[in-house]
Amino acid sequence: MGGGCIFHFFIVCLVYLFTPVTAAVKKYQFDVKVKNVSRLCHAKPIVTINGMFPGPTVYVREGGRLLINVTNHKQYNISIYWHGLKQYRKGWADVPAYLTQCPIQTGHSYIYDIDVTGQRGTLWWHAHILWLRATVYGAIVILPKKGTPYPFPQPDFECNLVLGEWWNNDVEEVEKQGNKLKLPPKISDAHTINGKPGPLFPCSKKYTYAIEVDQGKTYLLRIVNAALNDELFFAIANHTITVVEINAVYTKPFSTDAILIK
């Protein structure tokens, strides 16, 4: 994105339901399984959804309904948290495991039934037990109702950017070691965009996540901060970005050189 070209960007950033009977239903199957993944010249088994890191993006329209069947094939108990989705009268499926929801045990399944009302934009989902959130996460995209345009100029393209972290060591061992020493856990070995570290990290130059853009086009970037413990800044060199939505709520558009995503 050099050469003095000018691009226009709309930014959708994540700072962290009574549905009509005719609501469209989107069904997803989430299989919790272990997969060997290599980053920074290190390979290790990680917990994933459907073998993907990050996990699949969940798409739904405002006023729709989600049925997400989570089947646990691994040795850890798990629960999934739908971060920011308002779940009226369904609080038992909206918190960490062992509070109001029992975790999904190995070999068992649970169907999350979520009505999406009064929200549109970008949120995210993640594991909500132990440190499994380090690898079990993904974006939620709530589109406007059919026939309803965005309250800002229609972008030419849309792209999801999920910011995360990578540890070379097993994340559960990292957490245990920190608790044992009564110190903050070891910081991550790299930050990632859609699961890929930057080009300056070892064994990463050929595998960095990149977007090809055209001069004069407008890009709607749906940005999620899925890092465990870090607040992250996001900017595009030599460009101004325009924020149009935060936490699945449209905001009065404003321009800035950088954004902080908690």
Side-chain angles (χ1 to χ4, degrees), residues 50-248:
N50 299 347
M52 301 169 62
F53 172 62
T57 298
V58 172
Y59 290 93
V60 65
R61 287 194 179 275
E62 180 187 1
R65 180 184 178 193
L66 286 170
L67 292 177
I68 304 174
N69 184 50
V70 180
T71 302
N72 188 4
H73 301 282
K74 61 175 186 53
Q75 72 271 32
Y76 300 104
N77 291 344
I78 195 167
S79 66
I80 302 294
Y81 181 54
W82 312 97
H83 203 123
L85 273 179
K86 298 177 181 178
Q87 298 197 52
Y88 300 115
R89 301 193 299 274
K90 294 182 180 178
W92 59 86
D94 192 34
V95 293
Y98 301 111
L99 290 185
T100 60
Q101 179 188 24
C102 293
I104 305 167
Q105 298 181 1
T106 303
H108 290 75
S109 298
Y110 180 82
I111 297 177
Y112 290 90
D113 186 347
I114 305 170
D115 297 320
V116 181
T117 300
Q119 294 181 285
R120 76 290 301 162
T122 308
L123 297 169
W124 66 304
W125 59 266
H126 57 81
H128 217 326
I129 186 171
L130 306 175
W131 262 31
L132 299 184
R133 182 163 68 87
T135 57
V136 180
Y137 60 81
I140 301 172
V141 174
I142 307 173
L143 300 169
K145 295 179 180 179
K146 277 191 175 182
T148 303
Y150 292 127
F152 46 81
Q154 180 72 24
D156 296 296
F157 302 97
E158 297 190 17
C159 181
N160 303 332
L161 299 179
V162 183
L163 312 181
E165 296 178 273
W166 172 266
W167 279 263
N168 288 330
N169 301 108
D170 181 276
V171 291
E172 294 303 321
E173 293 303 318
V174 170
E175 182 189 24
K176 290 177 183 177
Q177 183 70 8
N179 292 336
K180 181 179 178 180
L181 298 175
K182 300 191 183 306
L183 294 172
K186 174 181 175 290
I187 63 172
S188 59
D189 294 288
H191 287 96
T192 60
I193 298 178
N194 290 348
K196 304 294 181 62
L200 300 181
F201 288 100
C203 303
S204 301
K205 187 174 182 180
K206 295 182 179 180
Y207 305 103
T208 299
Y209 183 80
I211 308 171
E212 292 187 5
V213 296
D214 296 323
Q215 182 177 0
K217 298 295 185 180
T218 300
Y219 294 81
L220 176 64
L221 304 181
R222 300 180 178 274
I223 307 175
V224 170
N225 179 6
L228 260 71
N229 301 309
D230 292 346
E231 298 176 343
L232 300 178
F233 288 90
F234 179 86
I236 302 171
N238 302 318
H239 289 78
T240 298
I241 54 183
T242 302
V243 177
V244 295
E245 175 259 311
I246 300 171
N247 259 2

